[in-house]
Amino acid sequence: MAIRGHRDGRYVGFEYDADMSITEKLKSLNITLAPVPGPFGTYVPARRSGNLVFVAGQIPRREGKIIATGPVPSKCSVELAREAARQCVINGLSAAATLGADTLDNIAGVVRVGAFVNSDDSFIEQSKVADAGSELLIQIFGDAGKHARVAVGTNTLPQAASVEIEFVFEMR
């Protein structure tokens, strides 16, 4: 069964197939999860408590490099920040996968997303940046990817990243 995604009454250009596992969906989207290179402090990338998995804040690291740095929009365009948000989602799934091989396919849904955007003082479109991550989660999980969310502007983030996102997933 395929479902087209909508936002504000318009298509956002993706389809969801409820018959595919999360691992299969990622493969169909050409998304490869990289090993988690950290942690970078005194914390773990993900922790399960009951039926919830809490994923530590993820910055947009790809192939060992941060793909978007500095404040939005003066040093990092909104479009690059949106790409960074998508990379944070991919990294968040990688972090969740550190809990075991079957973790991804046992995620029942996304409960909450916290998006932090390194922002210039006058920038007020943090939600537009965070939307890119939210849209990818819905593309991967369908209706189960719909979540509560906060999108916050901040003056700096670890390692000068433009975006950092944390996640709470519900397990089956």
Side-chain angles (χ1 to χ4, degrees), residues 5 8 21 24-25 30 40 56-57 79 101 123 136 149 154 157:
D8 301 328
S21 71
E24 292 169 332
K25 288 174 198 163
N30 294 317
F40 297 97
E79 280 310 309
F123 184 67
L136 180 55
R149 186 184 81 194
T154 184
L157 288 169

Side-chain angles (χ1 to χ4, degrees), residues 51-134:
N51 70 332
L52 298 177
V53 170
F54 296 84
V55 175
Q58 300 295 308
I59 58 177
R61 185 180 311 281
R62 183 187 301 147
E63 298 175 3
K65 297 179 182 173
I66 300 174
I67 63 168
T69 59
V72 180
S74 65
K75 303 272 188 210
C76 174
S77 71
V78 172
E79 280 310 309
L80 181 56
R82 286 176 53 82
E83 180 183 343
R86 290 186 289 270
Q87 187 63 48
C88 291
V89 167
I90 294 166
N91 296 349
L93 293 172
S94 292
T98 65
L99 298 176
D102 62 343
T103 300
L104 291 181
D105 290 328
N106 284 309
I107 293 175
V110 184
V111 177
R112 183 184 182 279
V113 169
F116 303 89
V117 181
N118 183 346
S119 302
D120 288 319
D121 289 343
S122 62
F123 184 67
I124 59 171
E125 294 185 315
Q126 290 82 6
S127 61
K128 184 175 181 181
V129 173
D131 281 347
S134 294

Side-chain angles (χ1 to χ4, degrees), residues 19-20 125:
D19 297 326
M20 296 174 80
E125 294 185 315

Side-chain angles (χ1 to χ4, degrees), residues 155-166:
N155 66 331
T156 190
L157 288 169
Q159 300 180 31
S162 296
V163 180
E164 180 176 7
I165 302 180
E166 64 180 2

